[in-house]
């Protein structure tokens, strides 16, 4: 009798062999190695764009403020006509004086100054706009130039934060921004740009190609926009209100006359007593 039953096919054993798994893992590792630098660059570009958007907001806010106050703009703490100043670091202050760490700002005891007036007048109500997102704790900036350093325990901004020294008698809790405010006219203080530019007091006096605010000018290690350990740009909002990245080699020069990088990365142009180094960097910022 003829057998009409169909032969069932043999089923292969389910699953992967060890070699197949190793091949897949190797492919994933290669793809990750190729994609990770691309993703990091994309993330850095996004942060730089956010920073530029912050500065564009400042550019608009300055002229809104001037429109409300008879063409006057917020007064600047830093003034190269009154050297020696307290140092370029005072361009970052948002309020005068010291308070208690992690406590909300007291605008009576420590009134607003510099671009802090744009916050207290309600023209720029978002505290995050006062901080560059590229600043991070790897730059030693956790309590000086990042938004999270200025929150109360309940998450309120602005609150007093200690200075970089967090022990001893020099804690000095203050409120800072990661943008420096030095609105410049086109008029030089002395014979050359390294003498500084006269501070603009009205919107009409602002030099269209001179900075109003810029990324932190403090130490070489704290230039926020970089590739690896190499700084690549300083973002600036200029007197005509537009913001752009300054990539000129002069502004990013690690020479001791600029950033003092060759002297151990300390005593940068934004620190006390370094007016000339600060002015050298400022003179090198060009649109």
């Amino acid at each position: 009798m003829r057998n009409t039953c169909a032969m069932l096919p043999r089923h292969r054993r389910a699953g992967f062999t060890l070699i197949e798994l190793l091949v897949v893992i190797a492919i994933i590792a290669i793809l990750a190695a190729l994609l990770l630098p691309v993703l990091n660059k994309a993330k850095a570009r996004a942060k730089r764009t956010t920073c530029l958007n912050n500065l564009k907001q400042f550019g608009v806010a300055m002229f809104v403020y001037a429109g409300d106050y008879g063409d006057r703009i917020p007064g600047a703490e830093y003034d190269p006509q009154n050297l020696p100043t307290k140092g370029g670091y005072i361009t970052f202050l948002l309020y005068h004086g010291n308070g208690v760490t992690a406590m909300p700002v007291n605008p009576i005891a420590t009134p607003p100054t510099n671009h802090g007036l744009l916050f207290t007048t309600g023209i720029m109500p978002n505290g995050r706009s006062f901080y560059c997102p590229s600043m991070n704790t790897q730059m030693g900036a956790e309590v000086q130039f990042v938004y999270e350093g200025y929150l109360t325990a309940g998450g309120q901004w602005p609150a007093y934060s200690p200075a970089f020294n967090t022990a001893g008698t020099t804690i000095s809790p203050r409120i800072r921004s990661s943008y420096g405010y030095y609105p410049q006219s086109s008029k030089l203080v002395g014979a050359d740009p390294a003498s500084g530019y006269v501070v603009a007091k009205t919107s009409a006096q602002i030099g269209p190609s001179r900075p109003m605010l810029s990324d932190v000018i403090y130490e070489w290690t704290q230039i926020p926009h970089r590739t690896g350990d190499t700084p690549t740009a300083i973002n600036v909002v200029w007197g005509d209100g537009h913001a752009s990245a300054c990539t000129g080699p002069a502004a990013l020069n690690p020479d001791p006359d600029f950033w003092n990088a060759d002297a151990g990365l300390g005593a940068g142009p934004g620190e006390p007593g370094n007016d000339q180094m600060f002015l050298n960097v400022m003179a090198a910022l060009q649109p």
Side-chain angles (χ1 to χ4, degrees):
M1 183 174 173
R2 191 168 141 194
N3 187 358
T4 58
C5 294
M7 296 293 292
L8 294 174
R10 281 182 151 187
H11 290 287
R12 294 185 61 189
R13 181 173 56 82
F16 296 100
T17 66
L18 178 60
I19 292 176
E20 289 171 334
L21 287 173
L22 290 175
V23 169
V24 171
I25 291 171
I27 292 172
I28 292 173
I30 292 170
L31 290 175
L34 292 173
L35 291 176
L36 189 59
V38 175
L39 292 174
N40 286 339
K41 287 181 180 179
K43 186 176 180 180
R45 283 196 299 270
K47 288 182 176 180
R48 183 183 295 184
T49 299
T50 300
C51 176
L52 284 171
N53 287 335
N54 288 346
L55 288 169
K56 288 176 184 177
Q57 290 182 58
F58 278 115
V60 173
M62 288 282 285
F63 292 105
V64 171
Y65 183 99
D68 291 342
Y69 291 92
D71 199 43
R72 295 188 67 83
I73 60 175
E77 290 284 333
Y78 189 85
D79 188 345
Q81 289 185 288
N82 296 321
L83 295 178
T85 70
K86 296 179 181 178
Y89 80 96
I90 65 172
T91 64
F92 316 129
L93 297 184
L94 297 177
Y95 291 84
H96 280 285
N98 306 337
V100 178
T101 300
M103 293 298 291
V105 63
N106 183 339
I108 304 301
T110 57
T113 188
N114 289 329
H115 48 308
L117 286 160
L118 300 176
F119 174 76
T120 58
T121 55
I123 296 174
M124 286 189 64
N126 186 356
R128 286 190 179 275
S129 298
F130 290 76
Y131 299 90
C132 173
S134 293
M135 275 293 187
N136 57 59
T137 55
Q138 283 70 43
M139 296 177 186
E142 64 274 12
V143 295
Q144 286 192 304
F145 304 125
V146 294
Y147 175 79
E148 288 75 14
Y150 295 90
L151 300 178
T152 64
Q156 178 184 347
W157 184 93
Y160 299 100
S161 180
F164 192 72
N165 295 319
T166 56
T169 59
T170 58
I171 295 178
S172 183
R174 297 193 177 196
I175 299 175
R176 301 168 178 82
S177 167
S178 59
Y179 299 115
Y181 181 63
Y182 170 23
Q184 302 167 32
S185 69
S186 299
K187 183 179 179 181
L188 293 172
V189 172
D192 57 66
S195 66
Y197 288 81
V198 174
V199 171
K201 296 181 179 179
T202 67
S203 65
Q205 293 174 354
I206 300 173
S209 61
R210 297 308 307 152
M212 288 194 288
L213 288 99
S214 70
D215 281 328
V216 57
I217 307 297
Y218 196 71
E219 290 186 3
W220 176 257
T221 54
Q222 292 176 346
I223 300 175
H225 306 294
R226 54 182 60 230
T227 299
D229 294 331
T230 304
T232 55
I234 296 173
N235 284 346
V236 179
V237 59
W238 308 94
D240 61 3
H242 88 279
S244 65
C246 180
T247 58
L252 301 169
N253 188 345
D255 187 275
D257 288 339
F258 286 80
W259 294 93
N260 208 22
D262 294 342
L265 303 178
E271 294 185 347
N274 286 297
D275 286 300
Q276 191 55 64
M277 291 168 60
F278 178 80
L279 292 173
N280 287 346
V281 175
M282 276 292 164
L285 293 178
Q286 300 291 336

